[in-house]
Amino acid sequence: MKIGIIIGTRPEIIKMAPVIRECKKRGIAYFIIHSNQHYSEEMDSIFFKELQLPAPDYNLGVGSGLHSNQTGNILIEMEPILLQEKPDVVLVQGDTNTVLAGALAASKLGIKIGHIEAGLRSYDRTMPEETNRILTDHMSEYLFAVGPNQHAILAKEGIDSDKIFTVGNTVSDSLFQHLDISANTSTILADLDVVSKGFFLVTAHRASNVDIPANLLELLALFDKLHAKYTETIIWPIHPRTQAKLKEFSIELPKYLKLIPPIGYLDFIQLQKHAKLILTDSGGIQEEACLLGVPCITLRENTERPEAVEVGASVLVGRDADKALAAADNWLAGGNNHSWDNPFGDGHVAELILDIITNTVPSTLDQKII
Ligand code: UD1
Ligand code: UDP
């Protein structure tokens, strides 16, 4: 049995880490291909260090670019490696261009694909990630669905139920494995001069929010309204896409927004845990906020993670300041102790995924690859 593990961006490194560690623990043969879609130290190598991951066996050096260029370059670089390594299965996680290209390269060679976080749908085709999700799911042999909603979505799309495995989300493994470590090592609250439950945390990087000047300004107007009512510091570890767009559009930020560069996972989970409120358009942060019991104002019109909304952990506001204020008023009136059901996994998801793979994927080390 040999597994090819494909990663490319910050959330893929974080959510694939438990799978990599579990392969290592079980002595399963694996290799890691990193597209380098993310490459800046604070979006990439910091996570290898903090999550104690082995260096990738292959770095494709693809970097940033227009969608087709980036996707095409990953495909081209990936093929000879897969031909040489002949894995029994490749694993991809999530919905990035790396995921689509990795799955497509494997599919063209007749290599089985396992898609971790299968079945998520926003039903918003303007999101590049939605196309990536749908196509990857329909190329996959092993669909690791987070919960029953995703299982039902995939079955409704005609995917054979035998291929769908409901396992939870590896985001829970990473989070639960690192909470204590981060509590013991991170000094981020002191470094930023904030106290527990004394600040709001913001992240934003969706193309729909930050690539269009009017939308980015609308988002900033939302923060203005929130700040006018609440005095809490707003901390914003800014994604490089957003940083680039602020510069391109020559937008100056108000002083009350405490802008910091993207930070490591151990610091970031402490910031999340101790935030009074999180405002985000990130997929992974919607899940982590829910797991940590921190209310999340989701800066999106729709979400492929409706479970966080259903359990009462998140409210979708888009860029509507009034909706955001109403959500903040509602939560903050009730104090800082929030609890809801956990729809995102028990922290043992990678183990389940590897049980399924080792029990069901035939090991075909001599399999003919076209
Ligand atoms: C990508 C994914 C998105 C995911 C996000 C996680 C796609 C289509 N998008 O979006 O689904 O939620 O990663 O963060 O796959 N940049 C740097 N350094 C880096 C990486 C990017 O400076 O290490 C800058 C570049 O200016 C680049 C821009 O960020 O053009 C966008 O990067 P890209 O990987 O294309 O998209 P993300 O917005 O990061
Ligand atoms: N994250 C981090 N540092 C930051 C911002 C986010 O470590 O400064 C982590 C966060 O804990 C989560 C993941 O990055 O696990 C989310 O990544 P992102 O928002 O870039 O992508 P998405 O989940 O939207 O695809």
Side-chain angles (χ1 to χ4, degrees):
M1 163 71 55
K2 192 195 225 181
I3 302 179
I5 295 178
I6 297 172
I7 53 177
T9 66
R10 169 168 75 184
E12 290 162 78
I13 302 168
I14 293 168
K15 289 174 169 177
M16 202 61 108
V19 177
I20 297 171
R21 280 203 297 269
E22 194 60 24
C23 281
K24 231 172 141 182
K25 196 169 140 196
R26 295 185 187 196
I28 295 171
Y30 71 94
F31 62 93
I32 302 173
I33 304 179
H34 188 345
S35 72
N36 310 115
Q37 176 172 345
H38 284 176
Y39 46 84
S40 303
E41 206 266 335
E42 70 271 19
M43 297 298 286
D44 178 19
S45 52
I46 188 167
F47 301 105
F48 282 85
K49 271 182 233 132
E50 287 191 344
L51 302 170
Q52 300 184 345
L53 297 175
D57 299 277
Y58 302 94
N59 282 294
L60 306 186
V62 162
S64 305
L66 294 173
H67 285 281
S68 295
N69 186 286
Q70 189 175 56
T71 309
N73 283 335
I74 300 171
L75 260 173
I76 291 165
E77 297 296 324
M78 188 86 64
E79 188 171 55
I81 299 168
L82 295 179
L83 277 168
Q84 185 194 315
E85 289 279 1
K86 297 183 174 48
D88 295 295
V89 61
V90 298
L91 292 180
V92 291
Q93 192 288 329
D95 54 21
T96 66
N97 289 343
T98 298
V99 170
L100 174 62
L104 190 50
S107 173
K108 296 278 181 196
L109 295 172
I111 299 169
K112 293 188 168 62
I113 301 153
H115 186 201
I116 301 176
E117 219 175 72
L120 266 58
R121 297 289 181 269
S122 65
Y123 300 104
D124 176 359
R125 283 292 195 130
T126 65
M127 268 187 106
E129 292 84 357
E130 185 74 353
T131 302
N132 294 345
R133 290 179 194 121
I134 294 170
L135 295 180
T136 303
D137 281 340
H138 285 262
M139 285 188 275
S140 295
E141 233 10 80
Y142 300 91
L143 294 104
F144 297 108
V146 174
N149 286 348
Q150 289 72 38
H151 193 294
I153 286 169
L154 293 167
K156 203 169 154 208
E157 288 181 12
I159 292 175
D160 187 345
S161 276
D162 292 351
K163 294 181 176 178
I164 311 169
F165 303 90
T166 302
V167 293
N169 195 313
T170 56
V171 76
S172 65
D173 302 29
S174 276
L175 189 64
F176 298 151
Q177 286 165 12
H178 293 94
L179 261 180
D180 285 349
I181 301 170
S182 76
N184 292 331
T185 58
S186 171
T187 57
I188 191 75
L189 295 194
D191 296 347
L192 295 175
D193 196 21
V194 286
V195 294
S196 183
K197 302 299 163 189
F199 63 96
F200 296 164
L201 177 64
V202 166
T203 81
H205 72 278
R206 288 287 149 224
S208 56
N209 275 334
V210 307
D211 282 13
I212 302 163
N215 292 359
L216 188 47
L217 288 170
E218 203 179 2
L219 206 56
L220 295 174
L222 183 157
F223 300 151
D224 269 347
K225 260 201 167 168
L226 200 64
H227 178 69
K229 174 134 191 206
Y230 293 100
T231 53
E232 275 80 3
T233 307
I234 302 182
I235 297 174
W236 188 353
I238 194 144
H239 190 285
R241 171 189 281 272
T242 313
Q243 182 75 64
K245 292 295 168 189
L246 286 171
K247 198 168 162 211
E248 185 186 330
F249 306 146
S250 305
I251 295 175
E252 294 273 336
L253 291 180
K255 293 253 177 325
Y256 69 79
L257 282 173
K258 202 166 189 166
L259 228 64
I260 56 172
I263 53 177
Y265 184 61
L266 298 179
D267 280 340
F268 194 74
I269 58 183
Q270 279 308 298
L271 270 191
Q272 287 190 87
K273 186 175 165 205
H274 292 287
K276 194 166 194 162
L277 202 63
I278 294 176
L279 294 102
T280 192
D281 60 13
S282 157
I285 297 169
Q286 289 172 60
E287 296 157 353
E288 288 167 349
C290 180
L291 286 163
L292 288 166
V294 179
C296 181
I297 293 183
T298 299
L299 304 166
R300 303 249 318 257
E301 303 286 349
N302 49 55
T303 180
E304 57 293 321
R305 283 132 170 123
E307 297 78 14
V309 178
E310 282 156 18
V311 301
S314 167
V315 172
L316 293 178
V317 307
R319 292 177 294 277
D320 186 320
D322 292 332
K323 281 189 191 165
L325 263 185
D329 291 347
N330 185 35
W331 271 316
L332 300 185
N336 290 320
N337 285 326
H338 307 280
S339 70
W340 36 69
D341 290 340
N342 160 20
F344 293 122
D346 61 359
H348 296 281
V349 178
E351 291 162 51
L352 261 179
I353 290 172
L354 285 175
D355 285 348
I356 291 161
I357 289 176
T358 49
N359 288 329
T360 57
V361 178
S363 184
T364 51
L365 284 176
D366 56 352
Q367 168 191 320
K368 187 165 174 284
I369 295 178
I370 309 149

